[in-house]
Amino acid sequence: THRLLAASSTNNVRTTLLVRDEKKARDLFPDAAATSNLTLVKGDYEMSQEDFAAAIAGHSRLFILVHDLSRMGAIKHKIGKIAYEAGVRQIVDISSFTLDFNRVGAISQAHTEGEERLRGLAYEQPDKRFYVSLRPGYFMTNHLMWDIHSIKMADSIFGTLPASFNYALTDPRDIGDIAANVLLDPVEKHGNAVYEIFPEKMSNEERARVFSKVLGRDIRYQQLDHQTLFDRMNQGMGGKASFQILYCLLSGRDMPRATPE
């Protein structure tokens, strides 16, 4: 969001941000909030169709990021339908590279349904509606969600795959920059594109070496079976780990390359 708002301010683009808490939004984005280009609208996934329709009226683009995996398809369909019917031409959606997993795991299932629902809406009027899917790899910030616990407990990174397995790592700031570029470009330039975002690939062994260098102590990579991994991560997260999410995040396909700049 920081990257998008910075781009909109720099390029003098009027932007509306849907937020749950206006004060918190102003505190998080003080520079953007100080300009006349940013409008804050209070709302969430549960806001009425009428209220969202009023908020989206007059806009030509919509950037959408939905966190709720259990209702992702329904939420994206609801928002997308209202937006397109209000005249929005382009929706830019944060999806996931896990679509390649063919619905195996909660993340793949949710994002596959989300893409299908939004793309279906766009294809109803292919000359007027466009849908761009951004499919980032593993967020680098996931290290602060998962690996931080095993490092604290055992000076180790845990996983179910070999030490040589390559992860596609993505900085959320890169996603913001790419989304901003798409939203600022002419709609026709990107059409109904799908962009995989893999700025860097790194093996489990390489990730451990980076942590060792940064932390100044030896961090190892340990390959575990799924149940043992879940048990250890669940312990570190105070019993709040999800087996389906861990399975998807800590399994996957080997990445032979990174996407070009």
Side-chain angles (χ1 to χ4, degrees), residues 171-184:
D171 189 324
R173 291 173 295 187
D174 292 332
I175 304 170
D177 288 340
I178 292 170
N181 285 332
V182 173
L183 290 163
L184 290 171

Side-chain angles (χ1 to χ4, degrees), residues 232-247:
R232 292 198 182 186
M233 294 300 289
N234 201 36
Q235 177 186 357
M237 298 178 68
K240 297 180 180 180
S242 162
F243 187 84
Q244 288 194 68
I245 302 300
L246 282 171
Y247 178 86

Side-chain angles (χ1 to χ4, degrees), residues 78-113:
K78 171 188 172 182
I79 294 174
K81 180 176 174 61
I82 297 171
Y84 279 134
E85 290 179 351
V88 166
R89 296 191 65 211
Q90 180 194 65
I91 292 179
V92 178
D93 173 36
I94 300 297
S95 183
S96 168
F97 81 112
T98 59
L99 266 77
D100 285 354
F101 292 9
N102 297 315
R103 296 181 181 268
V104 174
I107 297 177
S108 180
Q109 168 64 29
H111 283 288
T112 299
E113 183 179 355

Side-chain angles (χ1 to χ4, degrees), residues 132-145:
V132 177
S133 170
L134 305 183
R135 298 179 180 175
Y138 297 90
F139 287 11
M140 290 184 180
T141 47
N142 284 344
H143 288 105
L144 302 177
M145 184 183 301

Side-chain angles (χ1 to χ4, degrees), residues 179-214:
N181 285 332
V182 173
L183 290 163
L184 290 171
D185 282 339
V187 171
E188 293 76 13
K189 178 177 180 178
H190 299 279
N192 295 301
V194 173
Y195 295 119
E196 290 187 320
I197 307 174
F198 307 146
E200 185 174 359
K201 69 168 185 174
M202 188 176 291
S203 71
N204 287 315
E205 190 174 42
E206 289 170 332
R207 291 193 300 128
R209 285 202 296 267
V210 169
F211 274 112
S212 296
K213 181 178 180 180
V214 171

